[in-house]
Structures are given as structure tokens and as C-alpha cells.
Amino acid sequence: MKIVTRFAPSPTGFLHIGGARTALFNWLFARRHGGQFRLRIEDTDRQRSTQEAIDAILQGMQWLELGHDDEIVYQFARASRHAEVAQDLLARGRAYHCYATAEELEDMRTKQREAGLPVRYDGRWRDRPVSGPAPNTPPVVRLKAPQTGETIVRDHVQGDVRFSNEVLDDMVLLRSDGTPTYMLAVVVDDFDMGVTHVIRGDDHLTNAARQMQIIEAMDWPVPYYAHLPLLHGEDGAKLSKRHGALGIHEYENLGYLPEAMRNYLLRLGWSHGDDELITTEQAIAWFNLESIGQSPARVDFKKLDNINGNYMREANDARLTREVIRVLHGRGTVVPASAEDRLTAAMPGLKERAKTLVELADAVYYLVTERPLTLDDKAKTLITPEARAHLAAALPVLTNTNWTAPELEQALKTFAGERGVKLGNLAQPLRAALTGRSTSPGIFDVLAVLGREDSLARIQDQLTA
RNA sequence: GCGCCCUUCGUCUAUCGGUUAGGACGACAGCCUUUCACGUUGUAAAGACGGGUUCGAUUCCCGUAGGGCGCGCCA
């Protein structure tokens, strides 16, 4: 069987972390089986769907590198096909017109609530003879759902989930204005797109039962279902802006690498023994529905940071240089072209120390700023009169040393030994003078990357300051 | 209210009836060290509760509690 999965977001907001995970799982499953991963924009809610949201979703998926196959399906454009299916259902006697008004239904629900009864459509138009007087209001089309027996969703994550048909009411298929509802549209589109596996959030589990009723009324094949437990925020509460329901593009701005994000998202609900760092290639080889957990997970930025740090260290230096320059530009920082080579040269030492691109950008201050440097507070305290004396004395030694990290190290260690000063007491002031900060990559690497001229001048700056 | 789902360290998770309940993040402590990281060693840390089934339950069943989702002419 050719496997087809789909990601079907509604463009009423940005792509958040939960949606991104759903997209990832669908993508992985399709890739794993050499199938197709399709994208469908569920824009049938004309009031709330926006082009901005569509763009945000597309950009988010592009950033995550989750490429879809085939054309994007825009659900609204398929309204006439949906209506056609509704007519078909009507013709088969599996659906009927309902003339109840919104007010009437609201009234019905209120009464049901008050009486402590389950809130659902009571089927008041289900068996009315068509020959009766047609009311003035335009009707909706409702599914004539089975009233006895049960509908069983055979879910790959949740197992068999049984719903008594008594609790599922006759859902609206076509609104009074002739437009399709979500329930109908999903079923028709999934069928037309040849979707074999529906992988989506847990919040659709009950919908699955209702959708199955439509599918069965049409005699269509029921897809395999996999409903993913929802994601919660760090505090366990529902995902909200504070802790995770950020648009996925925010994670890009926060300085995360897409491959790290994928790894993190994958581990939220899916596992492969004790493996934590899982490359996308491995994920494609290993991904399966059986290993998806059944309980909801919380987002944890600490863990994300850690994973991102791991990927940063593995990342290519030239790439990180490009990325950090991009972040710097975003901040309005001017990066001289000459700094690019320095950045790349310093990258091995820099990336060891950063968990995100943002941290990386913070750390490259000394490479993209022209002297004289402005020292931060901690660095200032390192430049004591005694430190100045050490630096002054070291200057001629440095001047006469071959400018490579190993040779500089050798020279300065010897110098420190002869002077009877601990290397740290020399290295820290040196670090302050060269980088303007109290922390940086190894000081000999800093010297080497900065070069003789700039290094000596920066030290000189602190002697005369 | 009705229906459905979920419940192992603070967090993500492993375990597919028999383990000293494992790993990772985080925390704490040590080592390494020119700073910060990295790395490394170690410590603390979990089966919600109550019943069953079984020779034996974290694991299977039921109930309770807690959390979540759904119950629209929204998606």
C-alpha cells in the first residue's frame, strides 16, 4: 500500500509547537514508508482564516524543512465537491434537511443543560416527511447517523476506542448557505487525496468517530488513525503564549536550529529505547506509530536548549558564521566583511560555549567590534593596576612570538612562570583587554584569531586607558 | 452534566508479569581548567490512591482521585 499522510492546519493563527510536532510525525511516517506527505489548508472558516496565517504556517514548515509532496490543497476551493457529496448522501437517504433555526437549537441546548441531559441535537427533523410544508428558513443538511450500536475507532496510539452511537448526534454536513462543515470537508478531502493514515492531535479523537460515520455512509475506506496526546506548557497548563504556543518562527528567532527542533519535537511523545540525540536520518529509519506514548507531554525549554547545544557543536563552522551574521544583522549590528573570516576561525571555540544562535551572537562581540573596546563591568574589575603591570611586561614577549596559538601559549606560560604569577592572573586581564568580557574561548585561540596587530593594540588600549 | 483519553524521578521517557525500576534534561557535589563552557565521576529524585487477577504486579482488570479533550450552521 502506498502510504499517504497529511498535515491539515487551519489558518486561523500561526503554526505552534503542537502543530509542528503533528506535521513532523506525519512527515516522518510518510518518509519512513516512502509515501507521500501532503499539506492541506483548512480555510473553510472564512471569518477567521487569513493569508498571514497561511504564510506563517508555510514559513514555519519551510524552516523546519518539512517539505510536502504534491500541490497544497486549499479546502475552501473544494466546496462544490463537498456539497456534491452531501447531495449524494441525501440521495442515498443517509442525510436529511433540517430546518431548525439557530435560536431554536440554542434553546434546545439550554433546556438540555438545565435538565442535566447530554447536550446534542435531538433529531427533530430526522424523520419529518418531505411532503410537509417547507418552512421559510433555508435548511442545513444533517447526517442521518446510526442511533444504535457503536462506532469503534481503531487507533494506533490509543487502541480501540468505542463510542456508543447514542452519544453521537446528527451532525451538520452542509450549512444553510450551502457551504460544507469541517466534518464533511475533512472526510471528503482525505478520501480524494488518498490519505491512508490520519495522524493528528488527540483533540480529534471524538471527531474520528463522527467522521467514520460519514465515511461509512459513503462506503469509503476508513483510514488508519493515530491520535497524538496533546502538548502542555511548562507549568502543565494548557499551551498558552507564555510557554510554548509561540509561533514556530519564534523558535527560529530564539536561535534554535531546525534539526535540533525536530529532534526535540520527536522525543515529545515518541521514543526509541534510551536514544536522545536522534538525527533526522535515524528518525526516518526508526519512526513508527507503535512507539508513540499515550500521555500528554510538557514542553521543556531546558531540554530544548541542551539538544540545540549538542547540534550547535556538531554544526559546520561556515554555516554557523552565516547564521550568526544573520542574527547580528537582525539586531542592526554592522558586521564588517573582514570579521567573517575571524568568525569562522573562532567558531570551533565559540560554538562549544553556546546553546543557541542568540547566545552565539552575544559571544562574538569582540570579533565584530572595532577597537577601542568598551569593557563590561566584570571585565573592568579585572584590569587592576597589578594586571596592567603584567600586561605591560607581557607586551614585548608577545611582540617577539610567532603568532600561532601553541607558540603563544608556550611563550605566555614561560613568561608567567618566570614572573612568578599564576597563568590565570595573566590570562584573565588579557581576556578582558582582548574581548571586553570576563569569559571567552581559550585565550590563546582568541589571540590567534585576532591576529598580532589587533591583539597588541587592544592590550595597549588598556595600558593607556 | 454526558462521552472519551491520560497518570513511572521536577521534566521527557525505558520497562511489553519476575529489574538493585534504566537513560536523558535539570539540580547538587567532585574532577578537569587561563575564564566560561565542553567533558567526566558521583549524589538526591518516580510507579497517584484503593481493590482485585496471579506464585509474583509499574506492567492485566475494576473503582476513586487528579489532569486533558470533545459535546457549534468553528476547525
Side-chain angles (χ1 to χ4, degrees):
Chain A
M1 175 177 61
K2 167 94 168 179
I3 282 174
V4 180
T5 64
R6 47 69 158 184
F7 176 53
S10 55
T12 53
F14 41 54
L15 177 62
H16 60 74
I17 195 166
R21 186 187 61 157
T22 302
L24 173 68
F25 281 23
N26 275 287
W27 182 83
L28 283 173
F29 191 72
R31 290 287 170 273
R32 166 75 178 81
H33 293 99
Q36 277 201 312
F37 168 62
R38 306 207 50 190
L39 180 61
R40 181 170 75 228
I41 302 294
E42 308 216 319
D43 54 354
T44 52
D45 184 341
R46 304 316 288 167
Q47 302 305 312
R48 299 193 298 152
S49 296
T50 65
Q51 187 58 45
E52 293 71 56
I54 293 176
D55 293 341
I57 290 165
L58 261 26
Q59 278 168 26
M61 292 187 58
Q62 191 172 8
W63 177 65
L64 277 173
E65 299 165 312
L66 301 181
H68 61 267
D69 299 307
D70 229 319
E71 296 295 304
I72 297 176
V73 171
Y74 289 87
Q75 194 159 64
F76 180 67
R78 295 177 37 81
S80 60
R81 156 96 256 240
H82 303 145
E84 181 185 311
V85 172
Q87 293 309 324
D88 193 349
L89 251 7
L90 236 22
R92 293 165 180 239
R94 304 301 297 264
Y96 60 93
H97 289 293
C98 167
Y99 293 86
T101 63
E103 300 74 47
E104 197 183 331
L105 292 173
E106 194 38 58
D107 187 49
M108 173 195 77
R109 292 191 190 97
T110 307
K111 283 184 176 140
Q112 288 170 335
R113 256 187 288 271
E114 281 169 0
L117 295 168
V119 177
R120 65 178 81 112
Y121 176 68
D122 59 9
R124 57 186 63 187
W125 284 91
R126 184 178 169 105
D127 296 311
R128 292 232 186 164
V130 264
S131 57
N136 256 347
T137 25
V140 300
V141 174
R142 285 183 186 270
L143 180 75
K144 198 171 215 170
Q147 292 177 307
T148 57
E150 54 183 13
T151 298
I152 304 173
V153 179
R154 301 198 184 281
D155 193 272
H156 276 64
V157 174
Q158 313 290 351
D160 286 359
V161 183
R162 322 170 81 96
F163 294 89
S164 166
N165 286 333
E166 288 163 31
V167 308
L168 271 12
D169 61 6
D170 291 348
M171 74 200 99
V172 173
L173 265 18
L174 233 42
R175 301 187 185 100
S176 50
D177 64 0
T179 60
T181 60
Y182 163 79
M183 286 298 171
L184 208 221
V186 166
V187 167
V188 175
D189 289 346
D190 281 345
F191 174 75
D192 287 352
M193 290 164 77
V195 172
T196 58
H197 293 253
V198 173
I199 303 169
R200 77 237 289 196
D202 217 350
D203 50 341
H204 288 286
L205 190 53
T206 28
N207 289 340
R210 319 187 69 127
Q211 288 161 198
M212 276 177 67
Q213 295 185 327
I214 302 177
I215 291 168
E216 276 157 8
M218 284 303 292
D219 268 323
W220 284 343
V222 177
Y224 289 88
Y225 288 109
H227 287 93
L228 313 174
L230 265 18
L231 258 25
H232 290 177
E234 276 187 305
D235 55 3
K238 196 176 173 174
L239 231 37
S240 71
K241 276 218 173 96
R242 288 190 59 86
H243 41 232
L246 304 168
I248 204 70
H249 66 281
E250 294 292 343
Y251 289 86
E252 179 178 9
N253 294 338
L254 254 19
Y256 295 110
L257 263 20
E259 65 268 38
M261 199 68 208
R262 269 182 259 133
N263 191 152
Y264 176 69
L265 253 20
L266 176 66
R267 287 289 292 107
L268 240 34
W270 183 84
S271 59
H272 185 267
D274 283 339
D275 293 315
E276 296 288 347
L277 261 16
I278 301 168
T279 65
T280 298
E281 291 67 36
Q282 289 172 315
I284 291 172
W286 295 339
F287 188 76
N288 63 339
L289 265 18
E290 293 67 41
S291 300
I292 294 173
Q294 292 164 288
S295 48
R298 304 183 184 198
V299 304
D300 179 2
F301 282 94
K302 290 276 180 49
K303 181 94 172 227
L304 210 206
D305 281 347
N306 174 273
I307 289 178
N308 201 64
N310 276 288
Y311 279 90
M312 292 269 290
R313 272 173 254 137
E314 295 298 316
N316 173 275
D317 294 336
R319 172 193 174 195
L320 289 178
T321 299
R322 272 199 310 280
E323 292 295 325
V324 82
I325 288 174
R326 190 179 52 77
V327 174
L328 255 13
H329 281 165
R331 292 179 181 183
T333 304
V334 181
V335 182
S338 62
E340 235 171 273
D341 290 342
R342 280 183 170 185
L343 246 18
T344 307
M347 205 48 81
L350 252 16
K351 67 185 183 185
E352 282 280 316
R353 295 168 169 75
K355 288 194 164 61
T356 65
L357 292 172
V358 169
E359 285 183 18
L360 194 58
D362 291 339
V364 301
Y365 169 81
Y366 71 101
L367 293 171
V368 296
T369 310
E370 306 285 347
R371 48 176 287 269
L373 260 47
T374 307
L375 308 205
D376 72 10
D377 289 343
K378 280 184 190 164
K380 273 183 200 153
T381 66
L382 290 171
I383 307 291
T384 60
E386 193 192 355
R388 278 210 175 91
H390 292 327
L391 291 180
L395 219 38
V397 177
L398 255 15
T399 311
N400 293 318
T401 303
N402 238 346
W403 214 262
T404 68
E407 286 172 279
L408 288 162
E409 176 169 2
Q410 184 55 249
L412 282 174
K413 279 186 170 164
T414 305
F415 169 76
E418 285 167 355
R419 204 174 159 82
V421 43
K422 289 207 299 194
L423 186 56
N425 289 335
L426 177 63
Q428 277 306 83
L430 196 50
R431 190 184 315 279
L434 294 173
T435 70
R437 301 288 156 86
S438 57
T439 70
S440 80
I443 197 65
F444 310 113
D445 291 326
V446 170
L447 280 166
V449 169
L450 248 24
R452 168 181 258 121
E453 192 187 342
D454 202 359
S455 296
L456 296 179
R458 289 183 186 207
I459 295 168
Q460 193 58 246
D461 286 343
Q462 293 313 313
L463 297 181
T464 54

